Amino acid sequence: MTNAATGKKYLAIAVMACLCAALIAGPAYGFYYAHNSEGSNGAKGTGVYEAFMVVDETAVGGDVHSDLIFVPAGSTADVVLTEGIMSSEDQNGLDAIHNYDVQSVEEYLTANNRTYTINVYETGEVQAYADSEGAYQATSQNVADAYTASSKGDGSTELDRYDNVVITVKA
């Protein structure tokens, strides 16, 4: 009797081991065919760049929104309008927990009839702003003054990694 029970235990372990191996091997086998070297060699993707987006609405009594976003490498600054998102920030209670409504920056600006300009700035220590006391005091009234170096360009400027894209809403 003891030998039969031990044999059943070993059989059960062997069956479980085979089942686990099959569950691992099946997806791995399929993954190779979905992502083989020919597919990756023929891919046209060039990666992404990190960019810092600032939407300054202080001219119309609004806030300053900022976010680190990812844009396709080789994109112009105009792509920030479609790649950047804004969400509703005036939710309370359960709506704040369950409402995930977002829209692109372009949709947001269009829906609110906003006109705007786009400027691109390089990032780096040369951008440090110094007021008469020698320190930058960030307020909603001096966002545009935060960049002492001249702009690299407008919305048609090709972005480099870590560029700052400032969208200034006009009154």
Side-chain angles (χ1 to χ4, degrees):
M1 247 355 214
T2 307
N3 290 340
T6 305
K8 287 182 182 180
K9 186 188 331 179
Y10 288 138
L11 180 61
I13 291 172
V15 168
M16 291 301 289
C18 290
L19 182 59
C20 288
L23 289 173
I24 292 170
Y29 184 72
F31 186 83
Y32 171 77
Y33 283 100
H35 304 87
N36 63 10
S37 59
E38 288 179 23
S40 62
N41 289 343
K44 304 253 189 277
T46 56
V48 295
Y49 283 166
E50 302 87 347
F52 190 69
M53 172 190 74
V54 177
V55 180
D56 178 6
E57 293 185 286
T58 55
V60 293
D63 295 327
V64 177
H65 308 276
S66 60
D67 200 3
L68 177 68
I69 65 170
F70 298 94
V71 296
S75 298
T76 61
D78 286 331
V79 79
V80 170
L81 295 171
T82 55
E83 295 291 326
I85 61 169
M86 298 184 79
S87 64
S88 176
E89 297 175 356
D90 58 354
Q91 302 166 358
N92 294 316
L94 288 177
D95 194 34
I97 297 170
H98 299 291
N99 187 350
Y100 302 107
D101 291 339
V102 294
Q103 55 188 344
S104 71
V105 173
E106 183 177 42
E107 291 170 342
Y108 172 81
L109 295 172
T110 302
N112 292 300
N113 295 321
R114 305 278 197 234
T115 56
Y116 54 88
T117 59
I118 298 176
N119 290 309
V120 180
Y121 299 92
E122 290 184 19
T123 191
E125 293 189 24
V126 295
Q127 293 295 347
Y129 177 77
D131 63 13
S132 59
E133 288 81 36
Y136 175 65
Q137 299 295 321
T139 69
S140 61
Q141 303 305 313
N142 63 2
V143 172
D145 295 333
Y147 298 99
T148 56
S150 61
S151 169
K152 281 176 52 173
D154 58 7
S156 62
T157 304
E158 187 171 323
L159 294 176
D160 292 320
R161 180 164 274 133
Y162 309 121
D163 276 349
N164 296 311
V165 179
V166 179
I167 302 166
T168 307
V169 175
K170 299 179 189 177

